Amino acid sequence: MIEIKNLHKSYKMGSNSLHVLKGINFSVEEGELVAIMGSSGSGKSTLLNILGMLDELDEGSYTLDGVPIKNLNETKAAQYRNKFLGFIFQSFNLINYKNAMEKVSRKDRQEKTLKYLEQVGLKEWATHLPSELSGGQKQRVAIARAMAAEPKVLLADEPTGALDSKTSYEVMDLIQKINDAGNTILVVTHEPDIADMCKRIVHLKDGVIVEDKKIEQVRAQQYV
């Protein structure tokens, strides 16, 4: 599903250059649930931005579902993002004056939105505004919105970072259920207990992968 080979990324910092990713080799099979961990500055957000086509690599290759992701203009990148990817962010990224149902584009809105709001346990909250929702409910709406596009890959950037432990586990329970249904999901997190709820952990340090291991998944359901 995802194939990254010899990925390098640098940023210009005045007259200097900061080499953030230093030859990453990384692949993800369809249906995996992978945690990407690393301290601040390890390169995990840069990697996620490249996977999400929000940034471009300098060197190496990125193939997504058999399609080489290279030299895309913004229109093409947007088309590919819509076709392949769903995003879940720490800050929910919900528009304050739109209710839960209006988070999805008008086409098929009623049917799809209700389907996914029901899946995340918020069908009865469909007409509520973000200001009327708790943090956990907002994150579940964000997940429903990401799922409504029926993406090949779900990219979650610190999806529990703004939530308390109990709510975090509820969100991870939902992410696990979506993965159980066959969806490929990557979760960037700095929290070991959240990473343990994935099936594989990739550790980044100073722009390289220092560990990549499959683990015995902890089910979030037991804490909910």
Side-chain angles (χ1 to χ4, degrees), residues 40-218:
S40 182
S42 62
K44 61 185 190 298
S45 294
T46 301
L47 177 60
L48 197 76
N49 285 342
I50 290 170
L51 291 172
M53 296 178 237
L54 302 169
D55 206 346
E56 288 188 26
L57 50 81
D58 293 335
E59 193 183 314
S61 66
Y62 170 24
T63 308
L64 177 58
D65 200 30
V67 177
I69 306 300
K70 194 175 183 187
N71 301 331
L72 303 181
N73 61 35
E74 188 42 52
T75 305
K76 196 72 174 169
Q79 282 175 354
Y80 279 6
R81 278 196 294 272
N82 289 338
K83 180 179 178 183
F84 290 117
L85 302 170
F87 294 90
I88 307 165
F89 298 98
Q90 176 178 340
S91 56
F92 322 125
N93 285 30
L94 300 180
I95 302 165
N96 287 328
Y97 57 84
K98 288 195 171 188
N99 67 37
M101 190 174 284
E102 291 171 323
K103 295 295 174 224
V104 182
S105 60
R106 204 158 275 143
K107 185 184 172 196
D108 304 329
R109 181 190 287 165
Q110 298 287 112
E111 200 177 310
K112 270 193 182 172
T113 306
L114 284 173
K115 173 187 166 187
Y116 286 106
L117 285 173
E118 185 168 26
Q119 195 174 325
V120 303
L122 286 176
K123 190 175 182 178
E124 68 276 23
W125 292 81
T127 57
H128 287 247
L129 296 170
S131 60
E132 300 173 289
L133 303 176
S134 69
Q137 288 171 326
K138 286 178 187 175
Q139 194 58 292
R140 292 208 289 274
V141 169
I143 292 169
R145 177 184 61 183
M147 290 301 298
E150 296 178 342
K152 304 256 187 191
V153 178
L154 210 52
L155 299 175
D157 189 7
E158 299 279 3
T160 61
L163 306 173
D164 62 60
S165 292
K166 183 179 184 300
T167 313
S168 295
Y169 298 151
E170 287 170 359
V171 167
M172 283 308 296
D173 181 47
L174 177 58
I175 284 173
Q176 287 180 339
K177 284 172 178 163
I178 291 168
N179 175 246
D180 292 342
N183 292 80
T184 308
I185 307 176
L186 276 70
V187 178
V188 166
T189 182
H190 65 277
E191 299 169 277
D193 57 336
I194 298 301
D196 287 342
M197 292 176 181
C198 298
K199 295 174 178 172
R200 175 179 161 202
I201 301 177
V202 175
H203 270 276
L204 284 178
K205 186 176 181 181
D206 298 330
V208 296
I209 292 174
V210 292
E211 187 177 44
D212 183 346
K213 63 179 181 183
K214 292 194 172 178
I215 62 163
E216 188 70 40
Q217 184 185 40
V218 174

